[in-house]
Amino acid sequence: MIANRPGVTAARRAALGAAAMLLALAGPAHALRVVTWNLLQYPDLDLAGRQPKFRTVMADINADVLIVQELQSAAARDSMLNNVLNVVEPGQWTGSGFFTLQSNPVLEGGAVFWKPAKVSVGNLTTFVTSGPRDVLAARITPVGYTALPATFRIYSVHLKAGGPATADSTTRRLECTDIRNTLNVVPAGTNFLLGGDTNIYGAYEGAYLRLTESQSDNDGRGKDPLTMPGNWHSLSGYAPYYSQCPCNAGCGAGFSGGGLDDRFDLFLSSYGMQDGQGLDVVPGGYFAYGNDGLHFNDDVNGGGFNNAVGLTIATALVGASDHLPVVCTVQLASKIAAASQIDFGSAIVGGTAQRTLAVSNPATPPADALDYSMAAPANFTAPGGGFSAAAGAAASNHTLGMSSLVAGTKTGTLTVTTDAPDSLSKTVKLSGLVLAHATASLDSLALVRDDSLDFGARAAADFRDSLVFVHDEGYGALVARLAVNAGVIAGGGGHFSIVGGFQSALVAGAGAAYPVRFDPAGATLDSTYDATLTFSTSDEALPGAAAQPDLVLHLVARAVAGTTAVAQGSEPQALRFAPARPNPLTGETRLGIDLPQAAQLSIAVFDLSGRRIANIADGAFDAGHHDFSWRARDARGVRVAAGLYFARIVTPGLRGMQRLVVLP
């Protein structure tokens, strides 16, 4: 045990322990954990004794992808899958078939195992080298990703064993020359991990140099996650990184023994997987599993402790294989989550129209940060510059704007440019409507903001309610609705009122109707009563809404004791609008007016929504009595539906309204 070795100080033991703990424990929670493990002639050597130990280790290591060396048969592959992996994590594992990587002088093969919930594996193949064993290759695609930059190739190797100053070292160099040549022909930018039992003794060996040196073609150049120059064999300073052998003495048959003193098992990655971007090896996520740095040249459970994995697992590692598993934690590429379309709704010209675009990175931490920028289409705005979103962090909210300078339908596509391999260009469809301001009017076809309503001079029993309409003149698909907010009557001695009281309204195509009443009770006969009805209006409640000018209606009524007939053949002495006859009507009604002098005259018919549907008279007329007919037809000559209509007369000194009932 290192604690008992001469010259090893407490500070040194603490430093080594801390280094191992940083490697094994302090790294971030893994996104994808890739493991290589030489299983040592599995299952030929003491399967009954070793299999429970493999279960103990695999239950804790939390691997997602496992490449193995020294499988002895297809049955061995099945045994590892069914009696180890799916025993400790039921139903979570699947695997490739058994690949024969060496047939002479002994049968040896390999396989790839993985969790389908985390990755899919394809393009399984092998290629031949100058050494005794083939190389097993596969493509790993993390679940939720499809683009090639979000995937990586994995190569499982088992190089020729033998000392550094032997022909075996030369064989390793030739093997790695073949491997490097093969990796160099992969497409530029391909991510890869090369892992397994390399039997390499140091960075000076030709095999390691072939894999890591700069060449004219560096597409297949490997990068070591650790900086370990020179000789690796049996140096206490490299103690935290050794993988072979976890057993020192008294090991089982086939074990090399001697304790931890060599870094045979390792991973190299492509340079693109160690550039801090995209799919990447996590710093601190690469380690020899179970090596706490305190068992140099000793059993990993020596002294009855292991600060990396605990005593139970360390003891299992001692008896399972003469190699420790090596873990390489891989951060996934970034992803983007954002709405695919945003509707700004409606705004009014000049208003502020904004919406929020939430952008997040739903990749499983640790994963690459999402780097992105936005470009807005015409009629829309988005924040400029670059942004970054950490994996798993709360969404960042960005304010988008829609131009409201001109009324119209606004559409466009915002482009979010990202470094997420599966969504390098995320599009967001934008839409919205900019409306013109409403126009308050007392007429549906013309802008009338000041008008009169004359109830006439009548006997008390003859007064009838009159309808007043408030319109959004010129209303259409690109015009805001009109809000009628108040209707106040001033003057008139309290004889004028809105029947039922004022009710606010939102006016679009049909006008808002308000029945106005003159109550002659208590009125002084032969006295004229005047009042004003003022409607306060505004745009509907949308961004950019503004108050609209008031509508003012002058109300006039005169209560008289009775009516005076006009002598036959004489000119009328008073302006009078005679009741329609017949009313109700089925086919035709007649409306009469007495003009004491020549005047302009307009008579029109309106429906309940305030829309003008027919003109009966419009022009200059001589003094006298005039009769006009309406045959219950609209301006096109089409008979109107049964219901209630209104005839409005306008002439200097008189504005009146009569109700007309059309029967079926």
Side-chain angles (χ1 to χ4, degrees):
M1 186 175 76
I2 195 168
N4 296 327
R5 294 183 184 278
V8 178
T9 65
R12 176 62 174 160
R13 288 195 298 273
L16 290 172
M21 291 295 286
L22 283 172
L23 287 170
L25 300 177
H30 81 277
L32 198 65
R33 182 166 285 184
V34 184
V35 176
T36 180
W37 199 359
N38 184 322
L39 303 180
L40 182 61
Q41 300 179 46
Y42 183 87
D44 291 356
L45 300 178
D46 187 23
L47 177 63
R50 291 200 296 150
Q51 198 165 71
K53 297 178 174 62
F54 282 115
R55 294 190 191 114
T56 298
V57 173
M58 292 308 301
D60 180 76
I61 200 169
N62 203 13
D64 299 309
V65 178
L66 173 67
I67 56 174
V68 297
Q69 300 83 44
E70 293 202 28
L71 278 180
Q72 302 303 108
S73 64
R77 174 265 181 201
D78 295 341
S79 174
M80 174 57 62
L81 178 63
N82 299 322
N83 300 326
V84 176
L85 300 177
N86 278 326
V87 170
V88 298
E89 296 178 293
Q92 295 189 40
W93 285 90
T94 190
S96 69
F98 171 78
F99 284 85
T100 300
L101 303 179
Q102 174 180 288
S103 57
N104 184 32
V106 296
L107 177 65
E108 181 187 330
V112 181
F113 302 98
W114 67 92
K115 292 178 177 175
K118 299 297 289 289
V119 301
S120 63
V121 176
N123 302 116
L124 284 147
T125 186
T126 61
F127 62 87
V128 177
T129 71
S130 299
R133 304 178 190 89
D134 298 341
V135 175
L136 175 59
R139 178 174 294 283
I140 310 296
T141 302
V143 168
Y145 296 83
T146 58
L148 286 179
T151 72
F152 62 95
R153 296 187 181 188
I154 193 165
Y155 300 92
S156 177
V157 302
H158 187 186
L159 304 182
K160 184 69 175 72
T166 65
D168 296 326
S169 178
T170 300
T171 300
R172 286 194 292 275
R173 175 174 56 80
L174 295 174
E175 286 180 283
C176 289
T177 299
D178 295 334
I179 292 171
R180 176 64 184 272
N181 289 340
T182 300
L183 267 60
N184 277 347
V185 299
V186 302
T190 298
N191 299 311
F192 67 81
L193 285 178
L194 183 147
D197 179 5
T198 68
N199 286 302
I200 292 174
Y201 284 85
Y204 62 89
E205 268 208 62
Y208 185 83
L209 293 174
R210 292 297 86 77
L211 294 175
T212 60
E213 67 189 359
S214 178
Q215 299 178 355
S216 59
D217 186 344
N218 278 326
D219 291 335
R221 185 183 185 186
K223 185 174 183 180
D224 197 331
L226 302 176
T227 301
M228 293 181 62
N231 176 40
W232 300 340
H233 176 62
S234 198
L235 297 174
S236 61
Y238 286 156
Y241 314 114
Y242 290 145
S243 64
Q244 203 269 342
C245 170
C247 178
N248 182 25
C251 310
F255 282 66
S256 59
L260 288 173
D261 60 1
D262 279 303
R263 188 202 179 198
F264 286 167
D265 305 273
L266 54 82
F267 276 106
L268 302 177
S269 80
S270 57
Y271 269 67
M273 287 188 69
Q274 292 190 59
D275 62 0
Q277 294 291 321
L279 194 78
D280 229 47
V281 175
V282 175
Y286 173 89
F287 53 91
Y289 178 79
N291 186 345
D292 63 357
L294 301 176
H295 292 85
F296 174 53
N297 280 335
D298 197 3
D299 301 311
V300 294
N301 64 349
F305 76 96
N306 185 290
N307 290 342
V309 295
L311 185 59
T312 299
I313 297 170
T315 301
L317 288 167
V318 168
S321 172
D322 63 349
H323 296 261
L324 291 179
V326 173
V327 174
C328 184
T329 308
V330 176
Q331 78 166 19
L332 302 181
S334 62
K335 298 180 75 69
I336 182 172
S340 295
Q341 59 183 35
I342 293 178
D343 184 0
F344 283 75
S346 297
I348 299 174
V349 169
T352 300
Q354 294 181 333
R355 287 292 186 270
T356 297
L357 175 66
V359 179
S360 64
N361 179 2
T364 302
D368 186 29
L370 173 71
D371 297 324
Y372 62 98
S373 60
M374 293 174 284
N379 293 316
F380 296 91
T381 59
F387 303 92
S388 184
S396 297
N397 292 322
H398 303 283
T399 300
L400 308 181
M402 177 177 70
S403 172
S404 62
L405 295 177
V406 179
T409 300
K410 312 295 182 181
T411 60
T413 299
L414 176 106
T415 301
V416 184
T417 302
T418 83
D419 67 351
D422 286 335
S423 302
L424 295 174
S425 182
K426 165 74 177 177
T427 57
V428 183
K429 293 183 178 180
L430 307 180
S431 60
L433 195 62
V434 178
L435 304 174
H437 290 280
T439 302
S441 177
L442 293 168
D443 192 298
S444 63
L445 300 180
L447 180 57
V448 177
R449 290 182 176 146
D450 192 296
D451 207 347
S452 299
L453 174 59
D454 191 340
F455 284 81
R458 300 177 184 274
D462 293 337
F463 282 101
R464 299 289 184 267
D465 297 341
S466 289
L467 275 182
V468 174
F469 290 94
V470 176
H471 296 275
D472 187 357
E473 193 268 327
Y475 177 79
L478 295 178
V479 177
R481 292 177 296 178
L482 178 73
V484 186
N485 304 314
V488 178
I489 295 177
H495 290 282
F496 295 96
S497 65
I498 296 175
V499 179
F502 172 79
Q503 300 291 327
S504 62
L506 199 58
V507 178
Y514 293 94
V516 179
R517 175 174 296 169
F518 176 75
D519 184 358
T524 302
L525 295 179
D526 296 320
S527 293
T528 301
Y529 288 84
D530 299 287
T532 57
L533 170 55
T534 302
F535 290 103
S536 299
T537 65
S538 66
D539 294 314
E540 61 181 301
L542 291 173
Q548 296 302 311
D550 289 344
L551 301 179
V552 179
L553 191 67
H554 302 277
L555 308 178
V556 180
R558 181 180 179 86
V560 297
T563 59
T564 302
V566 177
Q568 185 68 28
S570 64
E571 296 294 334
Q573 300 300 304
L575 184 62
R576 188 175 74 91
F577 186 21
R581 59 194 187 280
N583 190 16
L585 64 127
T586 55
E588 181 181 23
T589 188
R590 300 191 69 80
L591 300 99
I593 185 169
D594 292 336
L595 295 177
Q597 59 188 15
Q600 289 288 327
L601 173 65
S602 170
I603 303 176
V605 179
F606 296 80
D607 64 14
L608 273 174
S609 69
R611 289 184 304 112
R612 185 185 301 174
I613 62 170
N615 286 320
I616 297 174
D618 189 12
F621 291 85
D622 294 333
H625 179 79
H626 301 275
D627 272 326
F628 302 93
S629 68
W630 181 54
R631 299 176 61 201
R633 296 180 181 275
D634 64 17
R636 299 170 298 168
V638 178
R639 180 177 171 83
V640 300
L644 182 63
Y645 296 85
F646 300 90
R648 187 182 75 175
I649 182 169
V650 178
T651 191
L654 176 64
R655 284 179 177 268
M657 189 85 72
Q658 285 194 27
R659 288 188 295 181
L660 303 175
V661 178
V662 177
L663 299 177

